[in-house]
Amino acid sequence: MTTGLMDNSVFNKNLFAFLYSSPTPFHAVANTRDFLLQHDFIQLHETEHWQLDRGRSYFLCRNNAATIAFTLGSMETAEHGLRMLAAHTDSPCLQIKPRADLKTGSYLQLGVEVYGGSLLAPWFDRDLSLAGRVCCEMADGSLEVLLINFFRPLLTIPSIAIHLDREANKNGGINQQKHLPPILCQAVEQQLPDLNSILLDQLKIEHPQLMVREILSFDLFCYDFQQPVYTGVKNEFISSARLDNLLSCHAGMTALATADKTRNNLLFCANHEENGSTSTSGANSSFLDSVLQRIIPDAETRRIALSNSFLVSMDNAHASHPNFMEKIDPGHEIQLNKGPVIKINANQRYATNSVTSAIYKKICREAGVTPQEFVMRSDMPCGSTIGPITSALQGIRTVDVGAASLAMHSIREHTGARDPFLLYQTIEQFLKSEMHRQLTR
Ligand code: ZN
C-alpha cells in the first residue's frame, strides 16, 4: 500500500484493498499492523517494558482485534496534548457458533449467531465466505492463534422460493435461529465432513509450515465474498461490505502514517462497537487509558495533556435515502459526496458539542472541505458510537464525525466515491493543525 502523492483514486484503490483483505477485525488489525510496520512504526507489547523516544511512532494490538498507534512529537511536549483519532474494527455479521455443525439430510449447515445490529435480509442468496481466528494446540503442545480466511465463495443462505411463501415480500420476518444457518456442503453418497476437519484442511493450506494437532476454539465469521466496486454512471458511488467502519480505520491509519513526526498524534481502532464496546478491546475498556498512562506516566502531566487533547471520533453517518425522505429531519439532509458529517444529538448519543463542532469546522476550512451536519428526527431514536464513551472516560473534547453512507449495517453498504478522501483530508489537516489548542478553558 503506497501513501506517497495521495489523490482520490489512489486513496480509494488502497481503501478497496484494505476492505477486501479485512473480512474480520482480526484481519483488519493484521493489515493495519503490516501497514504501520511499513511506515516505520515500532510494535510494542503490553507484556513488556516500553522505552519510548520523541520523534518516533509506535503501535500495539490487544486481543488481535484492536490497535492503538501513536507518534510522540519531536517538537511538542506531553502538555501540548494529543491529536487523537478513533474508529472501530468490527461490523455487523453472522458469527459461527462453537459447536456449529448442523446435519440436515445430505447437507452440512453451520449454526450462527447474529453479531451486532445486522440487516438480515441482504445475507440471503449471497456468495459467502468464512474467516476469523483459530486457537490451536500445536504438535509441541504449545498454543497458537492463527488467522484463517477461505477467501472463496463457500456458504449460502438460500431464500425460501416465493411459490412456497407468497407473503415473503410482505412480512420479511426472519427467525434468526431457524432461517439463517448457511449451507456449507453436501454429501450425497459419502459421509459428510465436519467443520473441524474442513478448518484443519484450510489451516494446512494457509499455514503449511505449522504442525497443528488440534483446534481448541475459534472466532469465525461469515462475510460477503464480493469485492468493493464503483457504481453510478460516472463511478460516483462506492459499494462494499464493512464500510462501517473500516472506511474510518483506513482513513485514520493513512493519516497517522503520513503525518510528520513533530506532533503528538494517536489513533485508536477499537473492537466491539457494534455490540456495546464493553470488552478488553472495546472503547469501554482499559486499553486507551493504560496506553496513555504509559506514554505520560506522571498523573498531573497526563491530566494537563488530556485537557489539551482533542478527539475526532470517526464512524459512518446516515445519508438521506431518496426512497425514505420521511425519515429525515428537514434542514439536515445529508448527501453522498458532499463532505464529512458532524453528528449531533441533544441526549449525548454523539459526543459533539458546539465547541468541538466549531473546532472541527475550522479544521475543515483549513483543509478546503465543507462539512455537513446530522441530527436524527425528534420522533426517532438515535444510534450511538465510540465518541461519547471515549470522551467520558478520558475527559477529552470530542467531535463525532463520519462519511455519509446508505444501507448502514447491510452486507453491502454505499458511500460516495469522494467521501472517504474528503474525510481523510480533514483528519490529515487536523494532525498538523494547531486548532485543537483553541477553547481549552
Ligand atoms: Zn459504526
Side-chain angles (χ1 to χ4, degrees):
M1 207 180 282
T2 53
T3 46
L5 277 181
M6 192 69 66
D7 69 14
N8 202 342
S9 67
V10 172
F11 186 85
N12 283 349
K13 194 164 163 261
N14 292 342
L15 170 63
F16 283 20
F18 182 68
L19 287 164
Y20 199 46
S21 62
S22 304
T24 74
F26 311 114
H27 292 83
V29 164
N31 289 327
T32 304
R33 180 196 61 212
D34 292 348
F35 176 83
L36 293 172
L37 287 171
Q38 281 164 23
H39 287 84
D40 295 328
F41 281 63
I42 298 162
Q43 183 161 12
L44 302 168
H45 299 280
E46 290 195 276
T47 48
E48 295 171 0
H49 287 279
W50 296 356
Q51 189 83 47
L52 304 176
D53 294 317
R54 299 217 145 269
R56 302 301 298 265
S57 297
Y58 302 89
F59 75 98
L60 64 155
C61 307
R62 197 185 257 199
N63 195 27
N64 313 118
T67 307
I68 292 178
F70 58 92
T71 297
L72 298 176
S74 59
M75 304 279 284
E76 293 182 325
T77 62
E79 285 92 332
H80 282 93
L82 293 115
R83 297 164 191 77
M84 296 173 55
L85 300 166
H88 66 87
T89 57
D90 60 320
S91 303
C93 62
L94 303 181
Q95 180 164 6
I96 307 299
K97 291 180 177 176
R99 291 167 179 266
D101 296 50
L102 298 170
K103 293 183 179 173
T104 315
S106 61
Y107 301 112
L108 175 63
Q109 294 173 269
L110 298 180
V112 290
E113 282 186 281
V114 177
Y115 178 91
S118 293
L119 258 183
L120 293 175
W123 284 83
F124 288 76
D125 308 318
R126 311 287 306 195
D127 307 323
L128 305 176
S129 191
L130 193 63
R133 71 173 175 182
V134 183
C135 299
C136 305
E137 184 190 28
M138 310 306 282
D140 65 0
S142 64
L143 296 180
E144 286 263 8
V145 174
L146 303 176
L147 291 190
I148 192 168
N149 181 2
F150 283 80
F151 202 63
R152 66 187 172 93
L154 192 71
L155 298 149
T156 47
I157 311 171
S159 296
I160 182 77
I162 187 78
H163 316 80
L164 305 179
D165 181 5
R166 295 283 177 191
E167 302 292 299
N169 288 333
K170 286 190 190 137
N171 342 334
I174 296 167
N175 181 308
Q176 298 189 6
Q177 176 70 21
K178 186 169 153 49
H179 298 154
L180 288 181
I183 298 173
L184 175 60
C185 63
Q186 184 187 24
V188 178
E189 275 159 18
Q190 314 89 332
Q191 239 196 315
L192 274 170
D194 56 20
L195 177 60
N196 188 63
S197 64
I198 293 166
L199 293 174
L200 282 169
D201 287 347
Q202 181 65 20
L203 287 175
K204 274 188 206 133
I205 295 168
E206 290 191 54
H207 306 279
Q209 73 287 8
L210 299 178
M211 299 288 289
V212 175
R213 183 187 290 161
E214 188 187 344
I215 293 173
L216 297 173
S217 54
F218 53 70
D219 299 286
L220 289 173
F221 302 93
C222 302
Y223 73 92
D224 184 10
F225 186 65
Q226 197 183 346
Q227 295 196 37
V229 293
Y230 286 110
T231 61
V233 168
K234 295 179 187 162
N235 287 347
E236 56 268 56
F237 309 117
I238 291 169
S239 174
S240 172
R242 301 177 299 281
L243 288 172
D244 174 12
N245 188 11
L246 294 185
L247 184 164
S248 306
C249 291
H250 173 260
M253 73 190 206
T254 308
L256 197 71
T258 49
D260 71 53
K261 311 254 183 203
T262 61
R263 317 296 172 94
N264 300 321
N265 298 327
L266 183 145
L267 168 69
F268 181 18
C269 292
N271 191 22
H272 292 140
E273 190 275 342
E274 300 296 356
N275 50 22
S277 291
T278 300
S279 73
T280 56
S281 49
N284 189 24
S285 74
S286 64
F287 191 23
L288 178 60
D289 192 56
S290 70
V291 170
L292 291 168
Q293 288 195 34
R294 294 175 78 166
I295 298 178
I296 314 169
D298 177 66
E300 187 166 6
T301 309
R302 185 168 63 251
R303 190 57 258 157
I304 294 167
L306 291 175
S307 299
N308 281 319
S309 298
F310 192 91
L311 170 64
V312 178
S313 169
M314 300 179 288
D315 202 353
N316 291 1
H318 296 295
S320 304
H321 193 308
N323 299 350
F324 296 90
M325 293 305 276
E326 72 281 6
K327 303 279 185 192
I328 295 144
D329 187 70
H332 297 94
E333 287 183 21
I334 302 295
Q335 302 282 320
L336 299 182
N337 288 312
K338 286 246 180 142
V341 181
I342 301 170
K343 300 187 275 184
I344 302 143
N345 179 254
N347 295 306
Q348 296 300 301
R349 303 288 288 166
Y350 302 126
T352 312
N353 59 44
S354 61
V355 168
T356 60
S357 175
I359 289 171
Y360 182 70
K361 282 179 181 175
K362 284 281 281 178
I363 292 163
C364 288
R365 214 170 275 177
E366 289 177 348
V369 173
T370 307
Q372 310 182 74
E373 287 175 289
F374 173 85
V375 291
M376 190 57 93
R377 281 181 64 95
S378 308
D379 53 5
M380 286 170 60
C382 183
S384 190
T385 179
I386 55 179
I389 298 165
T390 315
S391 73
L393 286 175
Q394 298 298 338
I396 301 175
R397 294 167 305 145
T398 300
V399 65
D400 269 306
V401 304
S405 70
L406 289 166
M408 192 183 288
H409 291 192
S410 174
I411 195 167
R412 204 83 183 148
E413 301 173 321
H414 316 281
T415 190
R418 299 177 69 225
D419 287 316
F421 193 61
L422 288 170
L423 175 67
Y424 163 76
Q425 284 180 301
T426 69
I427 58 170
E428 184 199 33
Q429 179 60 35
F430 166 56
L431 296 188
K432 58 189 177 201
S433 171
E434 291 298 320
M435 201 54 68
H436 76 291
R437 303 294 304 282
Q438 301 262 332
L439 303 179
T440 48
R441 290 186 187 177

